[in-house]
Amino acid sequence: MPGARKNISSGTPWEPVVGYCRAVRIGPYVHVAGTTATNAEGKIVGEGDPYAQAVQALKNIQSALEKAGASMKDVVRTRLFVINIADSEKIGRAHGEFFHDIRPASTMVQVIALVDPKMLVEIEADAYVGE
């Protein structure tokens, strides 16, 4: 069924408590939830380093997309939420390393806080997997 919903979990214990999953695929669309720099154990990677955190978050997005049958080349939109807009160059460099030739529509905004004070960036992605 083309419109069937597929939920992709990151396996974190808080997904069922909060009521979300890492990504959702419906038909050719994949929506990846706000993703931070956590590893498989749920620990923050790159504490104090906005570039390292952006790289880890993007790797987590890449993994979710692959589980949904998509890839980074299918990404059409990203949203980056940063704690300190002064880190935009470092975070943007990481984004560019993943999307240099893909060039999705993208927005970066500064926010007051993320769930954990050690988190410096959170990234969302939307993908379209062609017909």
Side-chain angles (χ1 to χ4, degrees), residues 15-124:
E15 281 185 10
V17 173
V18 177
Y20 79 101
C21 58
R22 172 63 50 227
V24 176
R25 179 170 181 166
I26 296 182
Y29 301 98
V30 181
H31 303 281
V32 182
T35 303
T36 57
T38 53
N39 62 18
E41 292 77 42
K43 300 214 184 296
I44 296 170
V45 173
E47 190 173 335
D49 184 343
Y51 170 80
Q53 287 197 16
V55 167
Q56 182 64 41
L58 289 161
K59 286 179 180 178
N60 292 347
I61 288 170
Q62 186 171 36
S63 174
L65 288 167
E66 289 169 358
K67 290 175 185 173
S71 72
M72 294 298 254
K73 71 177 175 42
D74 298 314
V75 173
V76 296
R77 178 103 170 106
T78 59
R79 291 169 204 84
L80 297 90
F81 304 95
V82 303
I83 294 300
N84 185 352
I85 202 68
D87 293 333
S88 64
E89 187 176 323
K90 294 172 185 172
I91 294 166
R93 181 167 43 97
H95 187 274
E97 289 171 5
F98 283 80
F99 294 113
H100 180 267
D101 295 326
I102 300 160
R103 300 184 63 178
S106 186
T107 301
M108 184 185 297
V109 296
Q110 180 172 315
V111 296
I112 291 174
L114 296 172
V115 172
D116 185 311
K118 295 176 189 171
M119 294 175 177
L120 304 176
V121 60
E122 183 168 328
I123 305 172
E124 295 178 351

